Amino acid sequence: GESVGLHLPTLSVQEGDNSIINCAYSNSASDYFIWYKQESGKGPQFIIDIRSNMDKRQGQRVTVLLNKTVKHLSLQIAATQPGDSAVYFCAENILSSGNTGKLIFGQGTTLQVKP
Amino acid sequence: EADIYQTPRYLVIGTGKKITLECSQTMGHDKMYWYQQDPGMELHLIHYSYGVNSTEKGDLSSESTVSRIRTEHFPLTLESARPSHTSQYLCASSEGRGGIQYFGAGTRLSVL
């Protein structure tokens, strides 16, 4: 079935360390993936996206890796800061399907940054 | 920065009341969505719209209804609120073939 899930509900890291948040998806037809950050009391905010014809994409302090063989993607945050504390969601879509624009969201990982 | 607005931010009401959650976007996006989310949990799609006069039910069954009379406006209505409707409701919009959805800040609803 279609589902997107994250491996760990909570990740605790020291300020300044790198963070890696993981996500597994089950639909091999998914060809587009997005990472969102949701701070307390706010709506999800777009971080970075990646299409299935890529295996890596970098942004400012963030990198998304996609492994289609094992249907896994990860979000790496370099030099984690207190402001990175939030819940992180991965989401998938099938853009080639004629598209409804619908995203399927995973369960979320809470990132806690220790000072 | 996304220009999508939800009102009210917080709402506490009694059982049986009719409520409307407002969502407006100024980006001219054709697609709009409503999600239901319990704290810290995943988002569940309850309604979406491809454009004016187009509405569809999402993956999670909901007793709410929506309308899309104008491109920028996508209100959600509960005719008779119940405690089981207590949750956060998030509105989003996107453009074209899909991809990035931009979210409002959400409405946190409590039904007593």
Side-chain angles (χ1 to χ4, degrees), chain A residues 69-90:
Chain A
T69 302
V70 295
K71 295 198 288 277
H72 179 271
L73 70 158
S74 65
L75 177 71
Q76 300 179 1
I77 304 173
T80 311
Q81 303 169 359
D84 295 326
S85 294
V87 180
Y88 290 81
F89 294 94
C90 63

Side-chain angles (χ1 to χ4, degrees), chain B residues 71-95:
Chain B
T71 298
E72 62 270 23
H73 196 213
F74 192 40
L76 180 146
T77 298
L78 272 168
E79 290 293 332
S80 180
R82 294 206 301 268
S84 61
H85 296 138
T86 295
S87 189
Q88 173 161 256
Y89 293 84
L90 290 161
C91 181
S93 70
S94 69
E95 187 176 32

Side-chain angles (χ1 to χ4, degrees), chain B residues 31-111:
Chain B
K31 296 181 174 69
M32 295 189 74
Y33 314 83
W34 276 103
Y35 292 87
Q36 187 173 339
Q37 182 189 32
D38 292 325
M41 302 298 287
E42 64 208 281
L43 283 70
H44 295 284
L45 182 68
I46 52 175
H47 298 284
Y48 61 99
S49 168
Y50 296 145
V52 172
N53 294 325
S54 151
T55 62
E56 301 284 345
K57 289 193 177 295
D59 304 317
L60 179 68
S61 176
S62 173
E63 294 168 344
S64 59
T65 59
V66 292
S67 63
R68 189 91 182 273
I69 299 172
R70 303 198 315 265
T71 298
E72 62 270 23
H73 196 213
F74 192 40
L76 180 146
T77 298
L78 272 168
E79 290 293 332
S80 180
R82 294 206 301 268
S84 61
H85 296 138
T86 295
S87 189
Q88 173 161 256
Y89 293 84
L90 290 161
C91 181
S93 70
S94 69
E95 187 176 32
R97 290 191 66 223
I100 302 169
Q101 291 182 15
Y102 297 93
F103 285 83
T107 293
R108 191 171 295 280
L109 174 66
S110 294
V111 184

Side-chain angles (χ1 to χ4, degrees), chain A residues 4 23 32-36 89-93 103-106:
Chain A
V4 179
C23 178
Y32 180 65
F33 305 88
I34 303 177
W35 280 101
Y36 283 93
F89 294 94
C90 63
E92 65 178 313
N93 195 358
L103 293 174
I104 299 170
F105 284 82

